[in-house]
Amino acid sequence: LTAKPERKLAKQLCKVVLDHFDTQYSRELGDAWSAARDILISPSCWQHAVLLNRFNYPFELEKDLHFKGYHTLFQGSLPYYPKSMKCYLSRIPHRIPSERHQIGTLKKYYLLNAASLLPVLALELRDGEKVLDLCAAPGGKSIALLQCACPGYLHCNEYDSLRLRWLRQTLESFIPEPLENVIKVSELDGREMGDAQPEKFDKVLVDAPCSNDRSWLFSSDSQKAACRISQRRKLPVLQIELLRSAVKALRPGGLLVYSTCTLSKAENQDVISEILNSCSNVMPVNIEEMARTCSQDFAFAPTGQECGLLVIPEKGKAWGPMYVAKLKKSWTV
């Protein structure tokens, strides 16, 4: 496999968004923002990880990745890292081409931001469990969950109809037909899921709609970008409502993981603090060991929370932004 030639950026950096981020993140992250900023405004520095599909395993690609100096994520050092998941990283920016969707043919690998796997791993999925991916499109985390274990039931939900089609295509591209029997795809408002299916799931992932710092920085329309920034203040309300619904859908004793791809404290730590303060049946789960274990591959900014991690991009570790928080539903209210 050969890397694709670097393409000229179709979208230019949006100064409106960058100025907004400079103001907010300089205050929230201090000196760490400067290093993250340098990466986020330079797509040529961005890295892609290669998640291998265990249902159509690419042995030749794996050999090629070894030859190119790639290494496996965590290298098996997390106690709950599944042997069935194989994700390869490069220490330098190196791109391999993505595969085209072909009806009836399973793809061999999925390209993603390696930090996207942290919420999946934090969920500690086991064979036979009932799992809800509440905001599932485009499907990368659902695919990653299925690399970890074979759930008894996987419910992939996406409220946006355009993104739902993307989700369905992703699942079709990676999952063999026998497994499709344990997967349900729905188009429900995630805020209603808890009432529709109370205490049904062992594990719930809420990869919430968020500011998505990387894509926002390259908004093509400054007026639309300014409108987005204004709407950004409303996102925490939606995120909290989605989490409350997820808590209802989770069985007592079950695990819930919340994630975003923004550095925003209002959408990350503040959302989790609100849930912990207002839901007496939700407890934080210490996730600091994950940060210690994978510090060779990821850089982290302090969150002030034992249950929350914030991956922040820096040179040589250009992954993130990704916030991950881990919660547990108690048996008694």
Side-chain angles (χ1 to χ4, degrees), residues 302-314:
T303 63
Q305 298 171 321
E306 290 183 347
C307 67
L309 299 179
L310 181 60
V311 180
I312 186 166
E314 67 174 34

Side-chain angles (χ1 to χ4, degrees), residues 115-146:
S116 299
L117 293 179
L118 296 180
V120 172
L121 292 169
L123 212 53
E124 299 184 50
L125 184 61
R126 301 285 184 262
D127 288 346
E129 291 181 322
K130 294 178 180 177
V131 190
L132 170 63
D133 189 350
L134 189 62
C135 312
K141 291 183 178 66
S142 294
I143 294 302
L145 283 166
L146 291 163

Side-chain angles (χ1 to χ4, degrees), residues 46-66:
W46 296 1
Q47 295 167 251
H48 288 94
V50 186
L51 179 65
L52 305 188
N53 187 8
R54 67 177 174 141
F55 305 113
N56 188 19
Y57 203 82
F59 292 100
E60 291 303 316
L61 172 61
E62 189 172 35
K63 290 179 184 177
D64 190 53
L65 293 174
H66 279 294

Side-chain angles (χ1 to χ4, degrees), residues 23-320:
T23 301
Q24 178 180 350
Y25 294 151
S26 295
R27 182 179 68 250
E28 293 181 3
L29 299 167
D31 293 340
W33 167 239
S34 178
R37 184 187 194 275
D38 288 345
I39 297 296
L40 291 175
I41 66 174
S42 306
S44 61
C45 297
W46 296 1
Q47 295 167 251
H48 288 94
V50 186
L51 179 65
L52 305 188
N53 187 8
R54 67 177 174 141
F55 305 113
N56 188 19
Y57 203 82
F59 292 100
E60 291 303 316
L61 172 61
E62 189 172 35
K63 290 179 184 177
D64 190 53
L65 293 174
H66 279 294
F67 178 76
K68 287 182 167 66
Y70 281 68
H71 66 281
T72 52
L73 177 65
F74 297 151
Q75 301 179 355
S77 52
L78 265 182
Y80 45 82
Y81 188 90
K83 293 180 180 178
S84 57
M85 176 186 272
K86 289 286 184 69
C87 181
Y88 281 87
L89 319 180
S90 173
R91 298 236 178 253
I92 58 172
H94 182 267
R95 313 270 171 96
I96 69 170
S98 57
E99 293 181 286
R100 290 184 177 180
H101 176 68
Q102 292 182 309
I103 296 174
T105 303
L106 294 183
K107 292 185 179 182
K108 294 180 170 63
Y109 59 91
Y110 187 87
L111 302 180
L112 75 170
N113 186 321
S116 299
L117 293 179
L118 296 180
V120 172
L121 292 169
L123 212 53
E124 299 184 50
L125 184 61
R126 301 285 184 262
D127 288 346
E129 291 181 322
K130 294 178 180 177
V131 190
L132 170 63
D133 189 350
L134 189 62
C135 312
K141 291 183 178 66
S142 294
I143 294 302
L145 283 166
L146 291 163
Q147 303 304 315
C148 295
C150 290
Y153 176 66
L154 173 61
H155 190 142
C156 302
N157 183 69
E158 177 55 50
Y159 188 44
D160 184 289
S161 58
L162 289 175
R163 290 171 60 82
L164 181 74
R165 287 204 292 271
W166 192 0
L167 169 64
R168 289 186 187 278
Q169 187 178 96
T170 302
L171 293 172
E172 289 170 6
S173 294
F174 285 89
I175 307 306
E177 284 187 17
L179 256 184
E180 291 175 7
N181 296 327
V182 301
I183 300 173
K184 178 179 179 179
V185 178
S186 67
E187 193 178 354
L188 296 172
D189 184 331
R191 293 169 292 186
E192 300 172 1
M193 184 68 76
D195 290 328
Q197 302 199 41
E199 298 191 351
K200 178 170 182 176
F201 299 96
D202 302 299
K203 307 282 173 70
V204 178
L205 175 63
V206 183
D207 186 43
C210 69
S211 297
N212 194 337
D213 294 353
R214 285 195 188 225
S215 66
W216 275 33
L217 274 169
F218 293 89
S219 301
S220 57
D221 186 316
S222 293
Q223 285 187 327
K224 286 183 179 178
C227 183
R228 272 184 170 182
I229 289 170
S230 176
Q231 294 171 342
R232 193 182 201 201
R233 290 190 292 270
K234 301 176 183 177
L235 279 169
V237 175
L238 170 62
Q239 291 156 348
I240 289 167
E241 290 174 345
L242 287 169
L243 271 175
R244 291 192 196 283
S245 176
V247 171
K248 288 182 181 178
L250 188 65
R251 67 162 178 80
L255 289 176
L256 186 158
V257 170
Y258 172 77
S259 62
T260 73
C261 49
T262 178
L263 297 169
S264 173
K265 181 175 178 289
E267 297 179 53
N268 296 336
Q269 295 99 307
D270 292 353
V271 167
I272 293 301
S273 294
E274 171 61 25
I275 291 297
L276 290 173
N277 290 334
S278 61
C279 297
S280 59
N281 59 342
V282 175
M283 303 177 294
V285 178
N286 193 314
I287 201 176
E288 293 176 318
E289 181 60 31
M290 176 177 274
R292 286 191 289 270
T293 301
C294 60
S295 58
Q296 62 179 344
D297 290 317
F298 300 99
F300 296 93
T303 63
Q305 298 171 321
E306 290 183 347
C307 67
L309 299 179
L310 181 60
V311 180
I312 186 166
E314 67 174 34
K315 191 173 182 179
K317 300 177 181 179
W319 310 111

